[in-house]
Amino acid sequence: LRFGRFDELLQVTNRPKSPIQAGLWDFATGYAHLKQGAPDFAALYLQRVKKTAETSKAMVRVHTAKNLLGVVAGILEGEIARTAGDLPKAIAAFQAAFDLQEALTYDEPEPLPFHAGHWLGAALLEAKRYDEAERTYRKELDHHPHNGWSLLGLKQALDA
């Protein structure tokens, strides 16, 4: 998923059995379907992520599955809405994911290899809400000062 190899991801058919791993697998599969032009399948996997988040008692070190899967569900929900052209709904979903991720207990290594701020900032830029995008990227850069995606987003917000 990190490298955009969606075709290869969709060839994996063995869904993990443990709830945290299964929820992340559903997120990645849904995201891949969305990027391959199948938003209905993406929505199906989003529902699976949400269901796992609500029912799982699993923990990843100090993090509940509910919180971690809540972040990725918000990202997938936002990206589905953004793809459908519903930018306000996308921003709301990304903001919820961002807030949830910001509230996670500090942990190394971080439980997710990406930050919801990347999606939120990009949607805010698309909505021409440049000041909010700048604040989003700056907040993310407080945690990851050398993150190239956030540095690029901040540059774009400042240029705009």
Side-chain angles (χ1 to χ4, degrees):
L1 183 65
R2 278 178 62 191
F3 301 106
R5 294 166 52 186
F6 305 120
D7 290 333
E8 291 176 42
L9 180 66
L10 292 176
Q11 292 174 9
V12 177
T13 58
N14 297 332
R15 184 175 189 258
K17 295 194 184 337
S18 68
I20 181 61
Q21 290 175 343
L24 290 174
W25 186 88
D26 288 337
F27 161 73
T29 303
Y31 201 94
H33 276 294
L34 182 64
K35 294 303 178 180
Q36 291 291 317
D40 292 341
F41 279 118
L44 173 73
Y45 283 97
L46 172 60
Q47 293 312 311
R48 291 174 73 165
V49 174
K50 286 182 175 183
K51 182 179 179 184
T52 303
E54 290 302 318
T55 59
S56 177
K57 304 291 184 219
M59 298 285 294
V60 175
R61 295 184 308 268
V62 297
H63 308 285
T64 64
K66 180 177 183 172
N67 286 344
L68 293 178
L69 295 179
V71 171
V72 297
I75 291 169
L76 182 54
E77 183 174 2
E79 198 63 9
I80 290 170
R82 188 174 173 198
T83 300
D86 190 343
L87 205 48
K89 184 176 179 181
I91 290 170
F94 292 143
Q95 184 68 61
F98 180 87
D99 293 342
L100 189 56
Q101 192 166 13
E102 286 291 301
L104 293 177
T105 302
Y106 176 80
D107 191 17
E108 287 288 339
E110 293 181 75
L112 296 171
F114 44 78
H115 198 282
H118 301 156
W119 284 271
L120 175 59
L124 290 168
L125 285 174
E126 192 174 328
K128 300 183 181 354
R129 293 165 57 179
Y130 306 120
D131 290 342
E132 293 172 75
E134 177 189 351
R135 284 192 298 276
T136 298
Y137 287 121
R138 286 189 187 279
K139 191 166 188 179
E140 204 285 321
L141 285 164
D142 285 343
H143 302 294
H144 308 100
H146 303 291
N147 184 292
W149 290 113
S150 293
L151 290 168
L152 174 62
L154 177 60
K155 180 189 181 313
Q156 291 171 337
L158 292 172
D159 287 348

